[in-house]
Amino acid sequence: MNMEWINTEKDKIINPNEKKTFDEVIKCYEHSLYRAGYILTWILLIESIKRKLYELERGGDASASKLVKQIEAEEKAKKSTDKLIYESGKSCGLYDETEMSVIEYLWGRRCFFAHPYENQPTKTEFQYIIEQAIKIVLPKEVVYNKLRLNEVCEEIVRPHILNNDITEVN
């Protein structure tokens, strides 16, 4: 079994915690546990998107903050949040429309394999989710989208100096 490609993919992942989870994905690949590996890779992908949303929120992105609160409310209510998370990632500019369609496809397949339909992904399908997770989400740094950059520019140019006259300040 050629493991060189999977180790090359691992080197592209930027978050050390995500690399640890990816080590488990590699073990699934080595032992032909394609169903478990597919689902684990999906979890790795969706949790990476969620981490990035939290980073955007900490950076002052109002849109991400609103979405994170919505995700937390859904999680608290014990509801599935995967779809909300990947849609939030798209709306915050973590990936484009084409990449979003790939994520939606992977979500559909994840649902198909995770539920008791007695279907197993093939080795090729497992490789595909690994490659797409790494292409679309895992190696990307969080950057501000255009909307957030405009907000930052507005904050910079808006005067922040208070007048010395207390009546003016009041």
Side-chain angles (χ1 to χ4, degrees):
M1 184 176 299
N2 180 4
M3 293 300 295
E4 187 176 318
W5 78 271
I6 204 164
N7 288 315
T8 301
E9 295 298 295
K10 179 183 174 182
D11 290 340
K12 298 174 186 174
I13 300 171
I14 57 172
N15 183 302
N17 292 325
E18 291 172 0
K19 282 188 180 204
K20 289 177 188 174
T21 304
F22 193 76
D23 286 338
E24 294 178 40
V25 170
I26 291 172
K27 294 232 182 283
C28 290
Y29 186 81
E30 289 173 330
H31 298 285
S32 302
L33 301 170
Y34 302 143
R35 183 173 187 227
Y38 196 100
I39 294 165
L40 183 59
T41 305
W42 172 260
I43 292 168
L44 177 60
L45 175 127
I46 207 71
E47 289 298 318
S48 182
I49 294 169
K50 185 175 165 185
R51 263 192 284 283
K52 287 171 175 43
L53 291 169
Y54 275 92
E55 285 180 46
L56 287 171
E57 178 195 35
R58 283 190 302 275
D61 187 310
S63 173
S65 181
K66 180 181 172 189
L67 293 165
V68 163
K69 284 183 177 85
Q70 190 177 353
I71 291 165
E72 288 174 344
E74 294 290 309
E75 287 175 341
K76 188 175 181 181
K78 307 259 190 260
K79 294 183 179 177
S80 174
T81 56
D82 287 12
K83 187 173 182 181
L84 176 58
I85 291 169
Y86 73 72
E87 287 173 346
S88 297
K90 167 66 173 78
S91 68
C92 286
L94 295 178
Y95 32 84
D96 63 27
E97 195 63 43
T98 303
E99 293 166 326
M100 176 66 170
S101 67
V102 172
I103 291 172
E104 287 176 326
Y105 170 78
L106 296 173
W107 166 246
R109 300 304 289 165
R110 179 282 218 205
C111 291
F112 185 69
F113 297 133
H115 298 290
Y117 302 123
E118 305 303 323
N119 289 297
Q120 296 280 335
T122 64
K123 179 179 180 180
T124 303
E125 288 172 310
F126 184 30
Q127 288 173 335
Y128 183 72
I129 192 173
I130 292 169
E131 291 166 352
Q132 293 306 309
I134 290 175
K135 179 182 174 188
I136 297 170
V137 178
L138 299 172
K140 293 183 179 177
E141 297 278 351
V142 173
V143 294
Y144 289 135
N145 61 24
K146 185 178 179 183
L147 179 62
R148 178 63 183 138
L149 288 175
N150 286 338
E151 289 173 358
V152 169
C153 290
E154 286 291 323
E155 291 171 13
I156 291 170
V157 297
R158 200 175 317 127
H160 293 284
I161 300 171
L162 294 177
N163 193 321
N164 287 333
D165 182 2
I166 194 68
T167 57
E168 289 289 320
V169 171
N170 289 334

